[in-house]
């Protein structure tokens, strides 16, 4: 009951006129920042951080947290309407959100994203409120072996993302791992895979650059090739009755993906160095693996939109937990928030809940208010986003191209990345012609830079003994489950080959 009382006090603080205004402004700004390719929550929070010095510290962190929330919602907008991920956290949403839009169901995809995001954020807020100290200690117990085991479990779900052709899926994963390894070795610092001795490769290949190239330029080229530019406008006008119908369908068809994303996203989000991007990708993989209709994923599955959208919102709240309780940022965005707190004279850590109780519970209360505000604002703007899709493709294609280039340049301000975006776009077109799955490669380049150093650190801790992944209480079960999931598709394939061919063939 004490927690409920503190939460009630926190909500009253969040509902003060200034703080409520900051929440609405932050969510609205975050929504459009998240929808702009190349920006995302990290850049949005960093750019607007100086503005917060004009308000009290509690209002400042509430404003930045609201931007974070809004950006998580907004990332789905360009993923669905244009096929360009607004941020890395929304890449998995593109897998099914864009196919739904191409079928004239963009409103269903956007409504599903909004509802799943709200439920994911709500579940995470409740868990955060009730179990913050306990979960902080759990997150702290995750060392390199546990994190690598979790990444291995994520890779195990990748096999299911490539359809029935397992060899092509494995090759796609290997391609992503190679691209993720370009640059400086994270442990030794030695350069590796620097192609043609071009120094620009030393900084590595940014994930957003790859995502924009593959799902922005690549999707545009594929659509032009398949339709010769004559894309029919089959997007209906948005009505209130239509939104209610879409909401019912989203709840009916996407409840399983929403549940998976809400819980898995939060627990991945609380792990240091993980964050919302791995959480959304892993949730998508698990949702497909447990679905009764896995063949629909990648072709317009409602669950395929719900799972990553619930996960990235849940993970964004989860990443706040280690920041507040341990002083360890759980994502790049929370690292900026942590820096802001230090500037404002607040010391994150176990004592924060005692010494700055009013600030902490005001922030937690704002999570609930921001989540509700983001849902309302997002639903209100859906007709505007649908209107974008009703433009002729002859106008939409150049717009996608320009947004891809501008978004890629805005993220790093490096012309070399623009050339990489174009190369990845044409490469994605070639791979799609050869029927290679793109999703495993994109996912591998995200988790590869996390999995590799944790693998090497674990082997250093055990003097090269791989049993460290099996004899630890948390890493062991996760590793065993991952190995089983990796072997299952191979066993099914072998069993299918051993079955006698039907008579007459």
């Amino acid at each position: 009951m004490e927690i409920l009382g503190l939460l009630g006090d926190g909500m009253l603080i969040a509902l003060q006129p200034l703080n409520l205004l900051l929440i609405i402004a932050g969510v609205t700004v975050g929504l459009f920042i998240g929808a702009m390719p190349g920006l995302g929550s990290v850049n949005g929070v960093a750019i607007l951080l100086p503005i917060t010095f004009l308000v009290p510290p509690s209002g400042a962190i509430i404003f930045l947290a609201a931007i974070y929330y809004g950006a998580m919602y907004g990332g789905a907008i360009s993923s669905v309407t244009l096929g360009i991920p607004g941020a890395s956290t929304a890449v998995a949403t593109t897998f099914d959100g864009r196919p739904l839009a191409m079928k004239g169901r963009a409103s269903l995809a956007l409504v599903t994203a909004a509802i799943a995001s709200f439920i994911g954020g709500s579940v995470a807020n409740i868990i955060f409120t009730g179990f913050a100290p306990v979960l902080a200690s759990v997150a702290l117990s995750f060392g390199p072996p546990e994190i690598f085991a979790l990444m291995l479990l994520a890779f195990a779900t990748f096999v299911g993302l490539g359809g029935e052709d397992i060899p092509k899926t494995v090759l796609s994963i290997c391609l992503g791992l190679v691209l993720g390894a370009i640059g400086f070795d994270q442990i030794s610092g030695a350069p590796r895979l620097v192609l043609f001795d071009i120094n620009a490769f030393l900084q590595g290949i940014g994930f957003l650059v790859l995502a924009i190239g593959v799902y922005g330029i690549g999707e545009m080229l594929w659509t032009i090739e398949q339709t010769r530019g004559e894309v029919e406008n089959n997007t209906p006008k948005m009505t209130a009755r239509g939104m209610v119908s879409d909401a019912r369908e989203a709840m009916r068809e996407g409840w399983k993906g929403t549940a998976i994303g809400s819980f898995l996203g939060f627990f991945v989000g609380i792990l240091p160095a993980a964050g919302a991007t791995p959480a959304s990708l892993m949730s998508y993989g698990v949702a497909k693996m447990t679905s009764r209709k896995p063949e629909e994923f990648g072709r317009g599955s409602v669950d395929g939109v719900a799972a990553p959208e619930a996960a990235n919102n849940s993970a964004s709240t989860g990443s706040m937990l280690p920041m507040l309780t341990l002083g360890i940022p759980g994502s790049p965005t929370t690292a900026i928030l942590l820096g802001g707190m230090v500037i404002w004279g607040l010391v994150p850590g176990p004592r924060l809940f005692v010494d700055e109780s009013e600030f902490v519970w005001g922030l937690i209360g704002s999570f609930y208010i921001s989540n509700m505000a983001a849902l309302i604002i997002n639903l209100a703007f859906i007709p505007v986003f649908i209107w974008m899709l009703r433009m002729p493709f002859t106008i939409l294609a150049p717009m996608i191209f320009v947004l891809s280039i501008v978004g890629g340049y805005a993220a790093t301000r490096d012309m070399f990345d623009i050339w990489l975006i174009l190369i990845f776009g044409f490469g994605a077109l070639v791979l799609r012609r050869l029927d290679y799955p793109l999703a495993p490669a994109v996912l591998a380049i995200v988790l590869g830079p996390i999995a590799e150093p944790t693998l090497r650190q674990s082997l250093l801790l055990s003097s090269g003994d791989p049993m460290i992944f099996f004899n630890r209480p948390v890493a062991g079960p996760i590793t065993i489950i991952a190995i089983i999931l990796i072997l299952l598709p191979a066993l099914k394939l072998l069993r299918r080959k051993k079955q006698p061919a039907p008579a007459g063939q």
Side-chain angles (χ1 to χ4, degrees):
M1 293 301 293
E2 181 183 356
I3 290 178
L4 292 177
L6 292 170
L7 178 60
D9 293 338
M11 285 190 174
L12 290 176
I13 293 172
L15 288 171
Q16 291 176 359
L18 176 60
N19 290 337
L20 184 59
L21 180 63
L22 290 171
I23 287 173
I24 295 172
V27 166
T28 305
V29 170
L31 187 68
F32 287 96
I33 286 176
M36 286 296 295
L39 286 181
S41 60
V42 180
N43 292 323
V45 171
I47 291 170
L48 296 173
L49 180 62
I51 297 176
T52 60
F53 297 118
L54 302 174
V55 297
S58 59
I61 191 70
I62 285 173
F63 176 65
L64 295 179
I67 294 174
Y68 193 12
Y69 255 104
M72 290 297 107
Y73 274 75
I77 296 168
S78 56
S79 293
V80 172
T81 57
L82 302 176
I84 313 171
S88 60
T89 56
V91 168
T93 308
T94 311
F95 300 160
D96 284 281
R98 183 58 179 166
L100 277 172
M102 296 298 288
K103 294 177 181 178
R105 305 302 308 277
S107 59
L108 174 61
L110 291 171
V111 170
T112 299
I115 293 175
S117 296
F118 173 74
I119 294 174
S122 300
V123 169
N125 288 336
I126 293 170
I127 300 174
F128 187 109
T129 304
F131 305 99
V134 176
L135 291 172
S137 62
V138 170
L140 197 60
S141 69
F142 267 65
E146 286 75 21
I147 294 177
F148 174 75
L150 194 65
M151 295 302 105
L152 184 63
L153 181 62
F155 278 109
T157 66
F158 288 8
V159 179
L161 293 180
E164 298 296 324
D165 199 332
I166 295 176
K168 286 186 176 181
T169 301
V170 173
L171 284 173
S172 183
I173 291 173
C174 292
L175 176 62
L177 291 174
V178 169
L179 291 174
I182 294 174
F184 285 109
D185 187 316
Q186 294 187 43
I187 295 180
S188 68
R192 60 186 183 183
L193 300 178
V194 179
L195 305 177
F196 310 112
D197 293 325
I198 299 176
N199 290 333
F201 279 117
L202 291 173
Q203 64 187 0
I205 294 176
F207 172 65
L208 199 60
V209 170
L210 176 78
I212 291 176
V214 170
Y215 291 104
I217 303 297
E219 181 70 23
M220 180 194 70
L221 293 175
W222 176 257
T223 303
I224 290 174
E225 181 180 84
Q226 295 299 305
T227 64
R228 302 301 179 187
E230 297 178 3
V231 180
E232 293 184 7
N233 176 23
N234 58 354
T235 303
K237 292 183 178 181
M238 198 71 214
T239 63
R241 181 177 295 179
M243 288 186 67
V244 172
S245 176
D246 287 336
R248 289 174 179 170
E249 186 174 351
M251 295 292 291
R252 185 177 64 252
E253 300 291 335
W255 69 267
K256 191 173 184 180
T258 301
I260 291 171
S262 298
F263 289 98
L264 181 59
F266 180 82
F267 287 104
V268 174
I270 67 175
L271 301 178
T277 301
S280 63
L281 299 172
M282 290 175 65
S283 296
Y284 182 88
V286 173
K288 179 176 181 179
M289 183 173 290
T290 58
S291 174
R292 292 183 179 180
K293 300 177 181 178
E295 69 280 357
E296 291 185 0
F297 279 69
R299 300 176 182 176
S301 169
V302 174
D303 257 344
V305 175
E309 282 302 303
N312 60 36
N313 272 264
S314 185
S316 65
T317 300
S319 64
M320 294 278 193
L321 191 145
M323 180 195 76
L324 293 174
T325 57
L326 303 173
I328 301 172
S331 69
T333 307
T334 53
I336 298 173
L337 293 175
L338 179 65
M341 291 177 63
V342 173
I343 292 172
W344 298 316
L346 300 167
V347 181
R351 294 289 306 174
L352 186 67
F353 278 75
V354 178
D355 298 338
E356 300 289 346
S357 176
E358 183 176 329
F359 164 79
V360 170
W361 287 103
L363 177 60
I364 294 174
S366 77
F367 292 167
Y368 290 85
I369 308 300
S370 296
N371 199 30
M372 179 59 72
L375 174 67
I376 296 171
I377 293 171
N378 198 6
L379 290 175
F381 275 105
I382 283 179
V384 178
F385 307 142
I386 296 297
W387 174 82
M388 293 170 55
L389 279 175
R390 300 179 69 241
M391 289 187 290
F393 193 73
T394 51
I395 297 176
L396 200 57
M399 182 183 297
I400 292 172
F401 181 81
V402 171
L403 284 174
S404 298
I405 299 302
V406 172
Y409 184 77
T412 60
R413 294 176 176 82
D414 189 345
M415 276 301 300
F416 182 73
D417 286 340
I418 304 304
W419 292 110
L420 287 180
I421 286 173
L422 296 175
I423 291 171
F424 286 138
F426 283 101
L429 177 64
V430 172
L431 289 175
R432 290 193 70 169
R433 283 179 177 176
L434 298 175
D435 200 27
Y436 275 82
L438 297 176
V442 174
L443 303 180
I445 201 174
V446 176
L447 298 190
I450 301 175
E452 183 200 357
T454 53
L455 170 63
R456 294 168 65 182
Q457 289 165 1
S458 301
L459 293 176
L460 286 172
L461 288 172
S462 64
S463 300
D465 185 3
M467 289 305 295
I468 190 172
F469 301 112
F470 296 92
N471 56 20
R472 291 168 71 104
V474 177
I478 296 176
T479 303
I480 292 171
I481 293 172
I483 292 173
I484 292 173
L485 292 177
I486 290 172
L487 294 177
L488 276 178
L491 293 175
K492 289 180 181 178
L493 187 63
L494 288 174
R495 187 182 303 171
R496 190 176 304 157
K497 287 184 176 179
K498 288 182 179 179
Q499 290 177 349
Q505 291 188 2

